[in-house]
Amino acid sequence: MQTTQHNNSTTSNRSNNYIYHSLGNIDPDSQDQYNFFGVIIDAAYPYKTSNGKYICTIKVVDQTIHHKGESSSPLFANVVIYAKRFEDLPIIRRVGDIMRVHRANVKFFNDMRQFYVNLQYNSSWCLFHQNQDKDDDDFDDNDSDENQNGEDQEMLDQDQLKEKQLERQEKRRYKPYKFSGRSYTFDINHEKIIMDNIRTWGQNYFANNYVITKDMYMLLKDCKTKMSNDESQEFDLLCKILKIFEKDENNLEIRIKDLSQEMWFMSVPRFKFQSLKQGEVIRIRCVEVNLTSKRNVIQTKNNTNILRFHPSSRIATELSKVIEDETDMDKVLGDEASDIVMNAVVLTEITDSSLARGQMFKLTDLFLNFDQIPENLRERNAFRVRFYCLRIDPIDHREVVQAYCPECSETYSCETLEKEGKGKCKSCKVECKLIYKMQMLVKDSSSQMNKNFYRILLYSFDEDRGNDFFSNVRPCNLYKNADALETIEKQIKAMTKFNVWIDAIIERQGAFFLIRDTKITQVIN
Ligand SMILES: [Zn+2]
């Protein structure tokens, strides 16, 4: 790709060789080879096939084949490029770029035109930026050969300078930033008009349409449930980059969120994706969900591609507003590698691993809109939540353990009981057992900005409802066990500290939510 050979002359013999067709005017049953321009709306990363060839698939549209709006089903043409070597294939970084293809074969595949571009024969491709006029492209397009010579500059007056600048701009507009083979041709007289037309059309198309429709990506909130049945399944995403961290020499950790407003983590190779920016809306191709991680982790693969959007495209401007920025809850979830969250601690662990990876519920939804939660989830009655405690009752921590009557559910203070806490119910005369009876006034990120707080109970009348909640202690008479009282008081104190969060499973019983399958595992002094 070193030697570039422009072919700007009208007298060239080759200038008449290329007749360009609109995508929709190409007969898919034809045996002919076709030349065309297309606006790229999607592209995979090149990968090696089982027969040792390299392949790259790209979706293109033009004035004659495209879909409109958000909901319409995607309409495009597929371009499949084959090559012997990886480096002969295009790596697409931005949707909206223009692709020119020479000598493609065509077939109908899944009701769409599919173009075959075989670089081992005589096919070729060129890539052009969507918009070369504005200085808004931060891609390295290796234009150093066009940099002006300082000596020349001094000899020119203002008008001449302007003229030169225009000339250079003009030249840049029609210069591909990547092309296959060793050289390319561009017949300025013939192709300029086609190029200008498709560029203008493409810019308008992206400015007025979402282009990426709902059936072209998965929501982050669905990827665990939909993928857990088949671990090898790949999917695509559409999300916003909340934060980028330098993970190590070779990798960046990016935090992403999409329209489901869930935050996920993704580690990406630095050399492939170093131009990504915080706040940017991106399309991610070919990823998997990491089902073994406790955090929400998207796993990249060799053929994962991340595509950026032109800043003026509708999907980028609208989604960057609709998708939330990082919330305080996200900061807690992203407990690693961030200076902001350095002091945030999640005090507890969920002891049931199948629940620990479940979806996180908002307290507002559970307490105020419980009926709107899907029936199957309400029936399961185990909701993962993350909250912080404003206050814990009773204030007298010796009363946190109570004597409970299994017959009438009445509870009594242990104050008058002996050390073992043995005692009988005053009305039923049956043996009581010792349980935790504690109330937490809590908030989560959904209620952080309003006055609402919620009451969650640690009420361990049932064995698996929280007898193991505190670390290194079980319910006992706290009036007579000084060591146990100290152990519990220390943990209660930790629960109400600033930036300490409780990750818990709660279940609904009548009008109350009770903690279960949750244990304090962190020690804070
Ligand atoms: Zn009783």
Side-chain angles (χ1 to χ4, degrees):
M1 296 207 214
Q2 297 296 324
T3 51
T4 302
Q5 175 194 325
H6 282 272
N7 184 0
N8 294 347
S9 142
T10 38
T11 55
S12 164
N13 293 327
R14 298 185 62 186
S15 64
N16 294 324
N17 288 353
Y18 296 108
I19 296 164
Y20 293 95
H21 284 79
S22 297
L23 297 171
N25 295 335
I26 294 173
D27 174 10
D29 297 321
S30 164
Q31 300 297 309
D32 295 342
Q33 290 196 313
Y34 288 94
N35 313 312
F36 59 86
F37 282 83
V39 177
I40 295 167
I41 63 161
D42 202 13
Y45 202 82
Y47 67 96
K48 196 175 189 173
T49 62
S50 51
N51 64 14
K53 275 190 185 177
Y54 290 88
I55 192 170
C56 181
T57 57
I58 294 161
K59 296 185 184 91
V60 293
V61 294
D62 72 355
Q63 296 91 327
T64 57
I65 289 186
H66 59 271
H67 53 271
K68 278 194 167 177
E70 186 187 11
S71 52
S72 58
S73 60
L75 195 59
F76 49 81
N78 264 312
V79 182
V80 186
I81 309 178
Y82 297 93
K84 213 172 177 177
R85 302 180 308 163
F86 175 86
E87 53 268 36
D88 292 334
L89 292 174
I91 295 169
I92 314 285
R93 298 290 193 206
R94 169 110 72 172
V95 289
D97 282 352
I98 314 287
M99 175 171 228
R100 190 191 73 181
V101 168
H102 281 166
R103 297 181 214 91
N105 292 94
V106 62
K107 263 184 196 155
F108 244 135
F109 185 78
N110 287 341
D111 284 337
M112 295 204 219
R113 282 171 182 78
Q114 182 141 304
F115 293 99
Y116 298 90
V117 180
N118 195 331
L119 302 178
Q120 283 175 263
Y121 294 103
N122 56 358
S123 308
S124 68
W125 54 265
C126 280
L127 295 176
F128 304 86
H129 287 303
Q130 183 190 56
N131 188 343
Q132 201 64 285
D133 292 339
K134 290 178 196 158
D135 209 11
D136 57 359
D137 225 314
D138 47 359
F139 290 95
D140 176 20
D141 37 0
N142 297 319
D143 261 351
S144 51
D145 56 329
E146 304 231 348
N147 284 347
Q148 58 191 37
N149 183 319
E151 285 167 43
D152 284 352
Q153 208 175 347
E154 284 170 30
M155 311 280 287
L156 301 169
D157 65 28
Q158 283 281 318
D159 286 348
Q160 283 173 308
L161 256 175
K162 249 182 202 160
E163 205 171 295
K164 257 231 142 141
Q165 214 169 348
L166 282 172
E167 207 175 279
R168 242 193 335 267
Q169 259 177 21
E170 183 83 352
K171 207 172 147 199
R172 264 175 69 104
R173 279 178 71 102
Y174 305 105
K175 186 191 171 196
Y177 69 86
K178 280 266 165 61
F179 50 90
S180 63
R182 272 197 244 129
S183 63
Y184 70 95
T185 59
F186 193 90
D187 176 1
I188 197 90
N189 289 301
H190 177 44
E191 296 182 41
K192 182 181 186 294
I193 302 161
I194 308 173
M195 187 70 171
D196 287 346
N197 283 344
I198 199 155
R199 258 195 181 136
T200 310
W201 177 83
Q203 281 159 23
N204 287 330
Y205 183 57
F206 272 91
N208 298 309
N209 295 280
Y210 282 96
V211 182
I212 307 295
T213 57
K214 278 178 177 139
D215 35 2
M216 290 168 78
Y217 60 91
M218 187 179 295
L219 286 174
L220 285 167
K221 77 171 168 62
D222 296 331
C223 61
K224 263 183 191 169
T225 42
K226 285 196 178 152
M227 288 303 124
S228 51
N229 303 327
D230 181 2
E231 293 191 22
S232 65
Q233 235 178 309
E234 289 179 353
F235 52 88
D236 305 328
L237 297 166
L238 180 65
C239 41
K240 177 159 123 180
I241 299 177
L242 300 184
K243 278 258 162 72
I244 302 176
F245 293 100
E246 315 235 323
K247 198 177 178 194
D248 53 49
E249 273 175 34
N250 304 317
N251 296 289
L252 300 170
E253 183 184 85
I254 65 172
R255 294 183 192 169
I256 52 174
K257 194 182 265 193
D258 71 356
L259 286 166
S260 60
Q261 309 294 0
E262 272 195 20
M263 187 188 69
W264 283 63
F265 300 88
M266 187 166 103
S267 176
V268 300
R270 187 190 285 258
F271 76 95
K272 265 172 86 172
F273 304 117
Q274 56 193 344
S275 54
L276 298 174
K277 288 199 178 86
Q278 285 180 183
E280 188 170 38
V281 174
I282 51 168
R283 169 154 174 79
I284 305 174
R285 288 292 312 270
C286 304
V287 284
E288 289 178 354
V289 61
N290 183 335
L291 290 166
T292 58
S293 175
K294 270 189 158 183
R295 305 203 296 175
N296 287 337
V297 175
I298 292 292
Q299 191 82 43
T300 60
K301 309 181 66 175
N302 282 338
N303 61 329
T304 295
N305 200 17
I306 298 181
L307 293 154
R308 307 170 69 189
F309 293 95
H310 202 271
S312 65
S313 61
R314 183 178 175 191
I315 199 162
T317 49
E318 289 191 12
L319 257 52
S320 67
K321 282 181 215 145
V322 177
I323 299 173
E324 285 175 2
D325 287 319
E326 195 182 40
T327 62
D328 288 351
M329 171 76 86
D330 295 331
K331 287 174 188 165
V332 176
L333 288 167
D335 45 11
E336 284 168 22
S338 163
D339 47 352
I340 310 159
V341 300
M342 244 170 48
N343 299 317
V345 177
V346 179
L347 199 63
T348 53
E349 262 176 31
I350 292 164
T351 50
D352 183 334
S353 59
S354 67
L355 297 171
R357 290 203 298 270
Q359 117 184 50
M360 193 79 79
F361 288 84
K362 291 178 181 174
L363 294 178
T364 317
D365 293 341
L366 292 174
F367 281 82
L368 302 179
N369 306 307
F370 192 71
D371 293 343
Q372 283 164 34
I373 289 168
E375 200 181 345
N376 61 324
L377 297 175
R378 272 186 282 152
E379 272 169 18
R380 193 176 65 169
N381 201 10
F383 305 98
R384 186 179 166 204
V385 290
R386 181 166 283 180
F387 56 80
Y388 61 92
C389 295
L390 299 166
R391 180 188 149 143
I392 288 173
D393 286 318
I395 300 291
D396 183 345
H397 296 143
R398 294 174 299 184
E399 294 291 329
V400 164
V401 174
Q402 298 271 303
Y404 166 85
C405 168
E407 201 64 36
C408 67
S409 299
E410 190 60 62
T411 55
Y412 304 99
S413 168
C414 293
E415 190 174 4
T416 54
L417 304 178
E418 84 282 22
K419 195 181 180 194
E420 278 66 45
K422 292 229 185 297
K424 286 189 172 151
C425 174
K426 280 166 192 157
S427 35
C428 317
K429 308 292 177 210
V430 298
E431 194 74 31
C432 286
K433 67 171 182 174
L434 299 184
I435 62 158
Y436 292 126
K437 193 182 177 191
M438 191 174 98
Q439 287 189 8
M440 291 160 258
L441 292 184
V442 309
K443 263 182 177 298
D444 69 354
S445 70
S446 71
S447 52
Q448 203 153 28
M449 302 312 283
N450 58 37
K451 286 183 192 160
N452 297 352
F453 53 83
Y454 304 96
R455 187 170 280 114
I456 289 175
L457 308 180
L458 172 63
Y459 196 16
S460 70
F461 60 91
D462 213 0
E463 278 292 317
D464 58 357
R465 294 293 184 271
N467 264 356
D468 294 324
F469 180 76
F470 291 107
S471 182
N472 296 321
V473 67
R474 310 246 326 154
C476 61
N477 186 348
L478 297 178
Y479 281 94
K480 310 281 160 66
N481 289 276
D483 288 350
L485 181 63
E486 197 192 326
T487 308
I488 283 178
E489 281 196 312
K490 212 172 143 187
Q491 295 178 54
I492 288 175
K493 217 174 150 190
M495 287 172 74
T496 49
K497 277 196 171 163
F498 175 71
N499 231 352
V500 168
W501 295 72
I502 313 285
D503 199 355
I505 299 297
I506 58 176
E507 72 167 41
R508 195 179 199 233
Q509 288 209 10
F512 300 103
F513 280 95
L514 269 57
I515 257 188
R516 61 178 252 210
D517 299 313
T518 304
K519 191 178 172 51
I520 292 180
T521 53
Q522 293 291 313
V523 182
I524 306 173
N525 290 311

